Amino acid sequence: MADEALPPVSVVITCFNLADFIGEAIESVQRQDYAGPVEIVVCDDASADSSRTVIEGYPGVRQVWSDDNQGVLLATIKGIEASSHELLFFLDGDDVWE
């Protein structure tokens, strides 16, 4: 349960053709011990693999889709724009947090 006294944070994860890794990236954020509210925003930059299907398997994750590949910078900007909170953290879709 989130501690409402702690500030809410948004985690922006970018993805392009990372079906083999994106689930582990999302789960690594979910495993963090931060007690405040955490929003996960995954921006898929028009992946041609099964990334979208993997991402859709995580309820509660905000999903942002690009119709065409625009690059990681624009995907990140879309994630920032879709985020609800002022405190932002960033994670590449093929990385994990310990």
Side-chain angles (χ1 to χ4, degrees):
M1 178 177 242
D3 180 345
E4 298 300 326
L6 294 172
V9 301
S10 294
V11 178
V12 176
I13 303 174
T14 54
C15 176
F16 177 68
N17 290 338
L18 296 174
D20 292 340
F21 306 100
I22 191 65
E24 189 174 353
I26 293 168
E27 291 169 16
S28 79
V29 174
Q30 292 173 329
R31 285 192 302 268
Q32 297 305 304
D33 62 2
Y34 184 70
V38 176
E39 169 189 54
I40 300 173
V41 180
V42 179
C43 303
D44 184 88
D45 196 24
S47 291
D49 65 359
S50 62
S51 293
R52 184 173 186 145
T53 301
V54 174
I55 296 164
E56 289 174 335
Y58 290 89
V61 171
R62 183 173 293 201
Q63 303 163 11
V64 179
W65 312 110
S66 294
D67 293 328
D68 54 298
N69 183 265
Q70 300 176 351
V72 69
L73 176 60
L74 292 179
T76 301
I77 291 169
K78 281 185 170 189
I80 292 168
E81 291 171 344
S83 296
S84 302
H85 308 303
E86 291 183 21
L87 293 177
L88 301 173
F89 295 87
F90 301 94
L91 180 64
D92 291 333
D94 60 350
D95 290 335
V96 295
W97 286 348
E98 295 296 325

